[in-house]
Amino acid sequence: MAALRYAGLDDTDSEDELPPGWEQRTTKDGWVYYANHTEEKTQWEHPKTGKRKRIAGDLPYGWEQETDENGQVFFVDHINKRTTYLDPRLAFTVDDNPTKPTTRQRYDGSTTAMEILQGRDLSGKVVVVTGANSGIGFETAKSFALHGAHVILACRNMTRANEAVSRILGEWHKAKVEAMTLDLALLRSVQHFAQAFKAKNVSLHVLVCNAAVFGLPWTLTKDGLETTFQVNHLGHFYLVQLLQDVLCRSAPARVVVVSSESHRFTDINDSSGKLDFSRLSPSKNDYWAMLAYNRSKLCNILFSNELHRRLSPRGVTSNAVHPGNMMYSALHRGWWVYTLLFTLARPFTKSMQGTASSGNFSPFGLIKQGGNSGLR
């Protein structure tokens, strides 16, 4: 111990903390080495533990590795607009001969979308997210875009959609993101969106059916259907049908339908157990906003399961997901009672990034296919 104390090797709180005069560096191929500025020498082994280490995983989102005119590797953080010669992955090094980790749950209710996608390179992947100008849709779109995917924000309000695109580009100027018009309350708009998307001649690897309305008074769309039913279910159903051929050509591909736990509190059958179509798009006298929402979410589940059954043999999987109970979003904006309730519950709810993680589990096979991963 006296020799260690003399060398300064015991003057740290952690066994991995470097003693004074030492610096941790990395090679181009990801190996960690240590520089002793006092003795002007380098070595592969940690001066305290004797272990060799290497970099784990890819660079965090927003970071790029560059080489200066002298051949020195440096790193650019586009989000915080700074450069450094210190590899940001040094905080995630692994031993050259790592021990087998203990088995534990990798993700939980507090996991964010960015954490799920950490280290993934989605370059070349094309993602469409409906209702992506705010809330869950925005966080989902942003998370995909910041990991290299070409993301299309399919929104009704183009002003807000373009503002959302600008916010994403403000975080990473190289993000490949754009907005396209999609009004799910107008089937002709759904058709026009599908035609415009196909005209781009690109693949479609992930389609996130996120857009929804909640707590609306009874209204009919221009197509003559109750608004909640058409926006939450029928519009997405039609969209998937129109893009089905592109999804199959792009396989492996996935459809993610954002549903809700509230699907359990309703039914769409009559007293004899047969499907009652009048319950899907009810008249004004038979309308209750909460039931309309619940029934639309039940339709989401049934649709996702059947879609998976039909298309999974062709490489297209489908999942219905539950983003979390009582999360604070703009979904409830049409009903002041629920706006008050959501405001009171806000301190106890998931963040939008945490909520968006539900949609990000599905595209990479992290939950059971064809089912519902708990339900909004």
Side-chain angles (χ1 to χ4, degrees), residues 244 247-254 304-318 369-370:
Q244 178 176 307
L247 286 163
C248 292
R249 288 199 307 268
S250 307
R254 183 159 297 184
S304 179
N305 286 345
E306 180 62 17
L307 183 68
H308 180 80
R309 187 187 70 81
R310 295 189 183 193
L311 295 190
S312 57
R314 302 175 63 181
V316 180
T317 57
S318 179
Q369 296 174 347

Side-chain angles (χ1 to χ4, degrees), residues 11-41:
D11 191 26
T12 58
D13 296 326
S14 168
E15 70 168 8
D16 287 328
E17 187 175 345
L18 289 171
W22 288 82
E23 182 185 357
Q24 188 174 225
R25 296 178 178 175
T26 57
T27 65
K28 290 183 179 180
D29 54 358
W31 289 100
V32 178
Y33 68 96
Y34 304 91
N36 184 337
H37 293 294
T38 304
E39 300 181 12
E40 296 184 350
K41 68 176 185 179

Side-chain angles (χ1 to χ4, degrees), residues 30-31 46 56 76 131-132 142 164 204-205 213 223-224 232 240 259 265 272 280 284 311 320 323 326 354 364:
W31 289 100
H46 191 287
V76 181
K142 181 182 76 172
L204 178 56
H205 301 99
V213 293
D223 299 302
N232 293 7
V240 173
S259 186
F265 306 109
S272 64
L280 299 181
K284 186 174 183 179
L311 295 190
M326 291 296 293
F364 302 100

Side-chain angles (χ1 to χ4, degrees), residues 122-343:
L122 303 183
S123 300
K125 302 297 183 183
V126 180
V127 180
V128 171
V129 184
T130 68
N133 59 275
S134 64
I136 303 169
F138 174 75
E139 293 297 335
T140 300
K142 181 182 76 172
S143 300
F144 279 123
L146 294 181
H147 286 84
H150 175 188
V151 182
I152 295 173
L153 282 64
C155 306
R156 178 180 59 85
N157 189 320
M158 288 305 291
T159 299
R160 296 181 63 188
N162 287 322
E163 290 173 354
V165 168
S166 297
R167 287 166 59 191
I168 296 173
L169 291 174
E171 292 203 31
W172 188 34
H173 72 284
K174 291 187 177 181
K176 195 171 184 180
V177 57
E178 62 178 301
M180 292 180 63
T181 302
L182 173 64
D183 185 355
L184 293 166
L186 186 62
L187 296 180
R188 183 173 58 187
S189 175
V190 178
Q191 191 175 50
H192 288 169
F193 174 88
Q195 292 171 346
F197 178 84
K198 290 181 178 181
K200 292 178 176 291
N201 292 317
V202 296
S203 300
L204 178 56
H205 301 99
V206 181
L207 172 57
V208 183
C209 299
N210 161 78
V213 293
F214 174 80
L216 296 183
W218 183 85
T219 55
L220 293 180
T221 67
K222 291 183 179 180
D223 299 302
L225 298 164
E226 190 277 314
T227 302
T228 300
F229 170 67
Q230 180 165 334
V231 172
N232 293 7
H233 171 64
L234 190 61
H236 282 128
F237 177 91
Y238 189 37
L239 178 65
V240 173
Q241 299 308 304
L242 294 174
L243 296 179
Q244 178 176 307
D245 55 338
V246 184
L247 286 163
C248 292
R249 288 199 307 268
S250 307
R254 183 159 297 184
V255 176
V256 181
V257 183
V258 181
S259 186
S260 171
E261 189 72 41
S262 65
H263 81 282
R264 302 181 187 278
F265 306 109
T266 188
D267 63 76
I268 52 177
N269 293 331
D270 59 22
S271 57
S272 64
K274 295 182 179 181
L275 177 62
D276 184 353
F277 286 99
S278 66
R279 296 190 180 191
L280 299 181
S281 182
S283 65
K284 186 174 183 179
N285 292 335
D286 295 326
Y287 178 79
W288 182 33
M290 192 71 230
L291 268 181
Y293 179 80
N294 294 354
R295 285 168 178 163
S296 71
K297 297 291 107 178
L298 177 57
C299 289
N300 289 162
I301 304 282
L302 299 174
F303 166 56
S304 179
N305 286 345
E306 180 62 17
L307 183 68
H308 180 80
R309 187 187 70 81
R310 295 189 183 193
L311 295 190
S312 57
R314 302 175 63 181
V316 180
T317 57
S318 179
N319 292 81
V321 300
H322 173 46
N325 292 320
M326 291 296 293
M327 69 285 173
Y328 189 89
S329 73
L331 182 65
H332 54 83
R333 58 187 176 271
W335 202 349
W336 72 267
V337 174
Y338 275 84
T339 297
L340 176 62
L341 183 59
F342 275 70
T343 301

